[in-house]
């Protein structure tokens, strides 16, 4: 219920619902899932899944919005209702599937539904930590450039380093602003940051003799 409330509030499910009511549901853009404990968990397409659930069962909507969703549900034709009772999902064997991660990365780091800088950077760090991929391997899978991947990785790890160091205000760093700052030669030089092209050498991008500058 909390997740549906969040999706309704932040992701304009009613707009998608009106589109489905008007033109029907299409699966040109596949739902993506992975198997766990005998179930399929949706990794990509939760906005669509939530919308379909609410159209089929408007009583799942937050109480204050149930009348709206009841009206949308009532507008579905019988054929459209039957069509969304069961939808196709491209299923990967597990959440750590390299092919699944590559698809998600391409879609949100370089593709049509681009994530903000924070989500991009965290995704790249996760790929390094879980798969041990190089910047080149990540860039090939997500359709980006190794230097672009490295900048995001270093910025994210720099924030982690500042938090670990207990730097005042580290939790409030905005990664998009940090990325722009690090492109300024003076900032990188002040912090002693290099770009060696290898994530193993950048887990803590600010060297020990520059920790005061990081503070």
């Amino acid at each position: 219920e909390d997740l549906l409330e969040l999706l309704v509030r932040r992701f304009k499910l009613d707009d998608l619902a009106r589109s489905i009511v008007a033109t029907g549901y299409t699966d040109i853009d596949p739902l993506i899932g992975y198997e766990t404990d005998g179930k399929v968990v949706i990794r990509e397409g939760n906005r669509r899944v939530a919308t379909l659930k609410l159209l089929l069962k408007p009583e799942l909507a937050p109480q204050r919005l149930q009348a709206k969703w009841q009206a949308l549900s009532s507008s579905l034709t019988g054929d459209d209702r039957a069509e969304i009772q069961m939808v196709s999902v491209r299923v990967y064997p597990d959440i750590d599937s390299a092919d699944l991660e590559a698809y998600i990365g391409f879609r949100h780091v370089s593709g049509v539904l681009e994530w903000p800088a924070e989500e991009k950077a965290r995704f790249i760090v996760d790929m390094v930590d879980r798969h041990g991929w190089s910047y080149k391997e990540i860039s090939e899978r997500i359709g980006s450039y190794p230097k672009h991947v490295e900048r995001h990785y270093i910025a994210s790890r720099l924030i982690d380093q500042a938090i670990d160091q207990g730097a005042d205000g580290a939790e409030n760093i905005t990664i998009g602003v940090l990325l722009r700052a690090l492109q300024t030669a003076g900032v990188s030089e002040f912090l002693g940051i290099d770009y060696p092209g290898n994530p193993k050498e950048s887990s803590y991008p600010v060297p020990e003799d520059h920790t005061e500058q990081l503070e």
Side-chain angles (χ1 to χ4, degrees), residues 5 8-9 58 61-72:
E5 168 101 27
V8 167
R9 188 172 71 249
Q63 184 68 38
R64 69 187 187 283
L65 299 175
Q66 283 187 10
K68 176 195 287 187
W69 282 96
Q70 186 64 58
L72 287 165

Side-chain angles (χ1 to χ4, degrees), residues 16-98:
L16 180 56
R18 291 187 190 94
S19 174
I20 293 171
V21 168
T23 62
Y25 176 79
T26 60
D27 59 359
I28 296 173
D29 193 15
L31 298 171
I32 304 295
Y34 61 89
E35 292 183 298
T36 181
D37 297 329
K39 297 180 179 180
V40 173
V41 176
I42 297 300
R43 179 71 172 81
E44 175 72 18
N46 284 290
R47 179 173 180 251
R48 281 167 286 163
V49 170
T51 301
L52 297 181
K53 282 188 174 186
L54 292 170
L55 282 172
L56 291 170
K57 294 184 177 181
E59 64 272 16
L60 296 176
Q63 184 68 38
R64 69 187 187 283
L65 299 175
Q66 283 187 10
K68 176 195 287 187
W69 282 96
Q70 186 64 58
L72 287 165
S73 178
S74 299
S75 300
L76 282 172
T77 67
D79 288 343
D80 285 342
R81 184 176 297 277
E83 185 178 21
I84 65 174
Q85 291 281 352
M86 184 176 294
V87 294
S88 297
V89 181
R90 181 186 297 170
V91 181
Y92 290 85
D94 57 69
I95 191 172
D96 292 322
S97 166

